[in-house]
Amino acid sequence: MIRRTHQDRVIAPSLLAANFGRIQEETTRAIRAGADWMHLDVMDGHFVDNISFGPAVVQAVHESNDVFLDVHLMISRPDHYLSRFIAAGSDLITVHVEADHDVSETLRRIREAGCQAGLALNPATSISAVEPFLGQIDLLLCMTVVPGFGGQSFMPEVLPKIEQAARWREERGLSYHIEVDGGITLATAELASRAGANVLVAGSSTFGAADMAAAISAMRNC
Ligand code: DX5
Ligand code: ZN
């Protein structure tokens, strides 16, 4: 599997918006429609006010499809569950800076296991909260909605945080991806990309599109 850089545009459909009764077929549909990664939104009903799925679903997707698994842990104790998501076949594991763990230690453990490490921050969290960890990550996820549910509206007040993350990356000679997640449509994908994001997570606007391939292609070229 080729390793994409922050210069590549990466389209990552979110499984949260798929038909949970047909996960294997839905994943295959996304890959055939041009998805680069699959974004798996794990929710524990505590860190966010919703429950989605756990390591067993990550493993099922890993075993049934050959696709890069971008696993987003919206859970309070990512350190406690980390080994299970690694064993399930995650390629990249993103944890929240707001969660209840030693962020630096969790990021170290993710990379030590051979996975890529991502760090996420919610819209209300200052970009300064992630600054200490920029040298330890392969991806920074700037949430563009309050996490927990798909189908929400993009929050443009997040754009300056994306721009700051891109500036820091250049100034410090780093190479982390900048990912956005939540309310990503063709229009907001263009705004986020212009601000510096290169990994676009989209649920409703890809799985919900009449023509998923056309939606992904348009998002890739906007
Ligand atoms: C929020 C989820 C959503 C999902 C994408 O916690 O992370 O952002 O992935 O949802 P859409 O693309 O439907 O806004
Ligand atoms: Zn997500």
Side-chain angles (χ1 to χ4, degrees):
M1 205 174 294
I2 54 170
R3 178 162 181 153
R4 299 176 192 282
T5 73
H6 69 276
Q7 272 102 8
D8 297 319
R9 175 69 61 84
V10 175
I11 309 300
S14 166
L15 199 67
L16 195 72
N19 175 344
F20 275 26
R22 300 163 38 84
I23 282 183
Q24 179 173 352
E25 298 88 337
E26 290 280 76
T27 304
T28 303
R29 178 163 74 98
I31 295 165
R32 288 182 179 154
D36 299 302
W37 296 357
M38 281 309 292
H39 185 83
L40 307 183
D41 279 312
V42 177
M43 301 178 182
D44 65 358
H46 186 258
F47 183 72
V48 293
D49 186 29
N50 195 5
I51 298 174
S52 59
F53 47 78
V57 170
V58 175
Q59 180 156 354
V61 176
H62 171 67
E63 288 174 351
S64 62
N65 289 281
D66 180 18
V67 63
F68 188 94
L69 299 185
D70 170 29
V71 178
H72 177 193
L73 298 184
M74 287 166 274
I75 66 177
S76 296
R77 291 291 316 279
D79 53 327
H80 180 71
Y81 292 95
L82 190 58
S83 58
R84 289 178 248 185
F85 284 100
I86 290 166
S90 306
D91 294 293
L92 191 156
I93 297 176
T94 296
V95 296
H96 271 261
V97 70
E98 304 93 350
D100 178 20
H101 64 126
D102 176 334
V103 174
S104 191
E105 175 61 7
T106 304
L107 294 171
R108 187 194 63 75
R109 286 176 55 205
I110 293 170
R111 279 183 157 178
E112 185 181 63
C115 288
Q116 292 182 49
L119 187 59
L121 70 161
N122 289 331
T125 303
S126 163
I127 190 75
S128 61
V130 299
E131 189 176 3
F133 310 107
L134 297 177
Q136 291 185 263
I137 61 173
D138 302 291
L139 178 140
L140 180 70
L141 168 47
C142 295
M143 288 302 294
T144 45
V145 295
V146 174
F149 298 88
Q152 301 178 77
S153 297
F154 180 85
M155 298 169 68
E157 58 266 42
V158 175
L159 289 170
K161 293 163 66 175
I162 298 166
E163 290 163 346
Q164 179 60 63
R167 276 195 298 275
W168 277 337
R169 182 175 60 195
E170 291 311 307
E171 290 161 4
R172 303 175 191 196
L174 298 172
S175 59
Y176 50 82
H177 293 283
I178 298 175
E179 182 176 64
V180 287
D181 177 2
I184 299 303
T185 62
L186 196 49
T188 58
E190 193 164 356
L191 291 175
S193 307
R194 206 177 303 140
N198 71 293
V199 182
L200 306 175
V201 173
S204 314
S205 63
T206 55
F207 278 108
D211 181 340
M212 191 176 197
I216 289 176
S217 173
M219 200 171 282
R220 184 183 310 288
N221 300 303
C222 69

